[in-house]
Amino acid sequence: MAENLYQSDGHRRRRVNRLKKYIISLLFLSILIPNVCMVVLLFRVQTLNREVDGLSGQMELLFQKIQGMEERQDALQIRAVSEDVQGTEADVYTAPMQGETPVGEISTPEEEPAHKIYLTFDDGPSTHTGEILDILDQYQVKATFFVVGREDETSKELINRIVEEGHTLGMHSYSHKYAELYESVDAFAEDFKKERAFLYDVTGVESVYYRFPGGSSNTVSNIDMREFADFLDSRGVVFFDWNVSSGDAGRQQLSVETLVRNCTSDLSERQTSVILMHDSAEKRTTVEALPQIIETIQAMEDTVILPISEETTLVQHIQTETIDEWR
Ligand code: ZN
């Protein structure tokens, strides 16, 4: 009996010991597990912190890039506005010309439509001017005529038609004699006065546009062309050269096909195209090519044909100080 009791006593102690061990290991685990969890969590938090830091850095870089882009955009807008106002920045321009070589084109970013085309006719009026006016009327197109001093009645009627039908009347000197015209500023001024007065008498319009015979980049004048440009500016007149040439200035009569190609092949490359043509008596194929030239341009997307006006971006072969003041 006593032995039994003793045995059951030992048994109980062992059970108590096992229970103690169990409790101790339970306590140990209850301390260890949260600690391990805490360490793991701390480690994870640190990793996340590093990731957040990395992302912040990337975001900062992105913000800097966006800011840079915005600044560039602002700079471009400022440049566009200043070019529009001053017209001083010239794109180098190298299209082939017949005898008359252009040097630069002043271009500005413009509003819609993207391409503005100006048809210009020099040296008229002539026997072809009436037909040219008819064609322009048929296609509802306005152009610009840089006329010379012809005082016969037919020429006067044609000059009047130019104005009455909504085209721009420009001057191209009264005499169109290079040697006399470019002899001196005084000679130029005299010719200018004569032509302006003549056109005013005929039409009642005081023309404010001029095209130098041979262009401002002509190699005939011994006097710096800027002196003549300054003179024009002092009279409130602006001169226009061209950046597209039909090629009809030469002695040889070009084919209709060549004229159409010369006038239209690269118009989509520019915002402003001033096309040089001649409505003088010997330029028959220019008249014949005109309908096709107009049709080709009218078929172009986002393109409009306009007469030269004060809105027109200056196209000048030489750079002058007066451009700044004019615009
Ligand atoms: Zn001319």
Side-chain angles (χ1 to χ4, degrees), residues 57 102 109 127 129 144 147 150 170 203 213 233 259 273 276 298 313 319:
T127 47
T129 308
T144 303
V147 301
R150 293 218 173 87
T203 64
D233 182 65
L259 287 167
S273 291
L276 172 70
Q298 286 184 333
T313 301
Q319 295 293 297

Side-chain angles (χ1 to χ4, degrees), residues 1-19:
M1 186 71 181
E3 198 178 318
N4 264 351
L5 272 172
Y6 187 77
Q7 269 180 354
S8 71
D9 234 21
H11 196 72
R12 200 184 303 142
R13 255 201 310 276
R14 275 202 302 278
R15 280 178 65 188
V16 166
N17 278 341
R18 267 211 306 275
L19 204 67

Side-chain angles (χ1 to χ4, degrees), residues 252-294:
Q252 200 190 344
Q253 190 139 255
L254 297 183
S255 69
V256 166
E257 193 192 359
T258 304
L259 287 167
V260 172
R261 194 179 53 243
N262 287 350
C263 289
T264 61
S265 61
D266 61 355
L267 298 182
S268 57
E269 290 169 18
R270 278 179 229 100
Q271 289 173 325
T272 298
S273 291
V274 177
I275 304 178
L276 172 70
M277 288 181 275
H278 292 82
D279 62 329
S280 39
E282 63 275 24
K283 311 297 178 190
R284 181 66 213 159
T285 50
T286 300
V287 186
E288 287 165 12
L290 188 57
Q292 223 176 306
I293 290 167
I294 294 171

Side-chain angles (χ1 to χ4, degrees), residues 15 73 83 94 99 118 135 216 251:
R15 280 178 65 188
Q73 202 179 7
E83 279 183 13
T94 53
Y118 300 87
I135 294 167
S216 68
R251 283 178 199 281

Side-chain angles (χ1 to χ4, degrees), residues 26-73:
L26 209 70
L27 275 169
F28 179 74
L29 280 174
S30 70
I31 293 164
L32 185 74
I33 289 170
N35 273 321
V36 168
C37 283
M38 215 142 83
V39 169
V40 169
L41 276 172
L42 273 172
F43 183 72
R44 184 75 191 128
V45 163
Q46 267 185 347
T47 313
L48 282 171
N49 267 339
R50 273 199 298 273
E51 278 176 21
V52 166
D53 282 350
L55 283 170
S56 299
Q58 280 178 8
M59 269 173 74
E60 210 166 315
L61 274 174
L62 272 172
F63 277 129
Q64 279 170 1
K65 273 187 189 168
I66 289 167
Q67 214 169 4
M69 281 163 76
E70 280 173 353
E71 277 165 13
R72 270 203 298 279
Q73 202 179 7

